Amino acid sequence: MRQEFLPFARPSISEEDVAAVSEVLRSGWITTGARCAGLEAAFVDRLGTTTAVATSSATGAMHLALLALDIGPGDEVVTPSMTWISTINMIVRLGATPVFVDVDRDTLMAGPAEIEAAVTGRTRAIIPVDYAGAAAELPAIRALAAKRGIAVIEDAAHAVGTRRRCGEEVGSTGTAIFSLHPIKNITSGEGGVLVTDDAEFGDRVRRLRFHGLGVDAWERGQQGRSPQAEVLEPGFKYNLPDMNAALGHSQFNRLDDFIDRRRDLAFRYRDRLAGTPGVLPLADAAETDRHAWHLFIVRVDPETAGIDRGGFMEALKARNIGTGIHFRAAHGQRWFVDHPDRWRGVDLADTEWNSERICSLPLFPAMRDEDVDEVARAIREIVPAAGGVPA
Ligand SMILES: *Cc1c(COP(=O)(O)O)cnc(C)c1O
């Protein structure tokens, strides 16, 4: 058995990351300023988009995007129930109705057909999710939305660096939201980035990010906020401090190395777990050219594995191996069960099937190949249908 606990995620913090943050701490300016602007410029440069707005979380970025679309009571937002609850919370808190669509059983992503079937005259936005770092079918989803004048906000929290089949990186076109939470592929401690190719929309998000003031928080010449700044509309306070932005930028510079390492580990898992009964990895999504491998998810099917997910996770924990659940379906959570009038959903069979079975295995760049081998061996010991035979 492993001596040391293997968490399911761990950020890779280098000495350069530490130095970048230390420099900010010593500089005399630690909240939002030049470092935040630098991080935003790096996203714009890499993606070739128009605007990047860094925020204190991707949840905050999603809230701002929905606000900038003026979404409120009477409006519907189509999104999978198989997503992080933050998106759904923001929709509900704005008084709008989340309309849940089912996901593909083996990619966990909602396709254009399911989305189109859920659209009504009240639909104002669609929020597809690039699940686990694969690419959702954005070109087709955008086309059906554009025909009806519906906005698309791509939830790319898992997908910094993901590339689509057409060769474009996620976030190059349209509006997308990335998360820089510590379990995500790159981190700023906490943080998020909204990118958009719609300059006017980007300006409104930027304004709403900081109290609704007509100029940004920090002006180079001023070494601070312009004292003349005026409120153009009531806003929020979702700015990203420079301490965090410096870390995020330093991490962004290493994104490709991180993804390469994650991919090697993911392929090793696929190989080592192949043929383990009832332990089912996700399938490849056709729209994905480069997968960012944010998560390595398996579905533990009690019927074929001979053990349920709870038992599987407990047994791994007893062997010093951490796991996670990404995610429990939103509509099955207490508040949503108690408030069936606040959401809609049609035929969520594959969502529910997965919600009971998904489990994320350890995956982070500093993992060793042998760690993957150990996890796979432990799984074969735990799963009765694998016969307890080590891989
Ligand atoms: C992590 C995550 C978010 C929210 O990110 P935060 O930065 O933690 O607010 C949104 N959507 C998905 C799918 C996520 O995994």
Side-chain angles (χ1 to χ4, degrees):
M1 189 179 103
R2 299 182 56 90
Q3 294 305 305
E4 224 182 291
F5 183 71
L6 180 69
F8 93 83
R10 190 162 66 204
S12 294
I13 304 297
S14 66
E15 285 309 313
E16 291 82 66
D17 292 342
V18 173
V21 178
S22 301
E23 199 185 312
V24 174
L25 288 170
R26 294 192 178 100
S27 74
W29 187 273
I30 59 179
T31 187
T32 306
R35 300 304 175 142
C36 179
L39 174 65
E40 293 172 344
F43 270 85
V44 167
D45 272 3
R46 178 172 172 130
L47 300 176
T49 185
T50 312
T51 306
V53 183
T55 53
S56 49
S57 69
T59 305
M62 182 62 74
H63 190 198
L64 295 177
L66 294 166
L67 285 161
L69 293 168
D70 293 310
I71 285 171
D75 295 334
E76 294 181 349
V77 179
V78 175
T79 190
S81 172
M82 181 56 77
T83 186
W84 179 226
I85 198 69
S86 61
T87 303
I88 315 307
N89 286 346
M90 296 301 103
I91 297 168
V92 169
R93 279 293 175 202
L94 286 169
T97 304
V99 176
F100 297 127
V101 286
D102 208 8
V103 291
D104 180 275
R105 191 172 175 109
D106 295 313
T107 67
L108 305 185
M109 290 191 281
E114 295 87 63
I115 291 172
E116 190 154 29
V119 166
T120 71
R122 292 169 179 266
T123 308
R124 295 284 321 285
I126 298 168
I127 306 179
V129 181
D130 298 309
Y131 217 92
E137 292 179 60
L138 264 289
I141 294 167
R142 283 196 193 112
L144 77 88
K147 264 195 296 187
R148 299 168 173 85
I150 298 169
V152 177
I153 308 166
E154 184 174 4
D155 182 346
H158 299 175
V160 190
T162 298
R163 198 166 52 228
R164 291 187 216 291
R165 202 170 36 166
C166 65
E168 240 183 29
E169 240 178 56
V170 164
S172 303
T173 307
T175 296
I177 279 156
F178 300 114
S179 171
L180 307 183
H181 182 276
I183 79 156
K184 303 294 159 67
N185 280 15
I186 59 168
T187 187
S188 58
E190 292 278 358
V193 179
L194 177 144
V195 292
T196 182
D197 57 9
D198 179 339
E200 210 177 305
F201 179 77
D203 284 347
R204 182 137 186 241
V205 168
R206 187 179 296 283
R207 186 162 83 209
L208 287 166
R209 172 182 66 172
F210 199 73
H211 306 299
L213 291 170
V215 298
D216 204 4
W218 191 87
E219 289 191 342
R220 201 168 291 276
Q222 289 270 145
Q223 285 277 307
R225 179 169 5 111
S226 162
Q228 281 80 28
E230 268 198 84
V231 175
L232 301 183
E233 62 178 319
F236 288 79
K237 188 158 188 283
Y238 283 140
N239 56 301
L240 184 73
D242 272 13
M243 294 183 294
N244 301 82
L247 176 57
H249 197 161
S250 181
Q251 291 252 307
F252 192 54
N253 292 335
R254 291 193 287 149
L255 175 60
D256 293 314
D257 291 341
F258 288 160
I259 293 177
D260 287 348
R261 182 61 190 147
R262 285 174 173 276
R263 185 192 48 224
D264 289 349
L265 294 164
F267 276 75
R268 196 174 182 93
Y269 266 129
R270 279 189 170 177
D271 178 69
R272 297 297 188 268
L273 291 173
T276 311
V279 179
L280 313 166
L282 297 183
D284 288 324
E287 194 55 41
T288 312
D289 179 39
R290 179 167 80 161
H291 196 307
W293 289 108
H294 167 52
L295 297 170
F296 191 88
I297 292 174
V298 294
R299 282 76 51 77
V300 182
D301 187 29
E303 241 108 86
T304 35
I307 187 171
D308 68 7
R309 178 180 58 191
F312 178 87
M313 291 174 75
E314 271 307 310
L316 283 176
K317 195 167 151 202
R319 287 168 169 74
N320 260 340
I321 296 167
T323 51
I325 298 177
H326 306 93
F327 301 101
R328 278 185 59 198
H331 72 280
Q333 308 212 19
R334 175 77 69 83
W335 189 88
F336 294 87
V337 172
D338 290 347
H339 296 83
D341 53 319
R342 299 292 295 272
W343 57 277
R344 286 203 298 115
V346 260
D347 181 23
L348 299 170
D350 287 333
T351 297
E352 287 168 3
W353 190 87
N354 276 287
S355 184
E356 298 296 316
R357 291 170 178 77
I358 47 176
C359 176
S360 303
L361 301 181
L363 181 63
F364 53 88
M367 266 176 76
R368 302 165 309 146
D369 290 349
E370 301 79 68
D371 293 325
V372 172
D373 298 348
E374 275 185 40
V375 175
R377 201 177 311 123
I379 288 174
R380 284 188 164 276
E381 286 169 11
I382 286 164
V383 169
V389 184

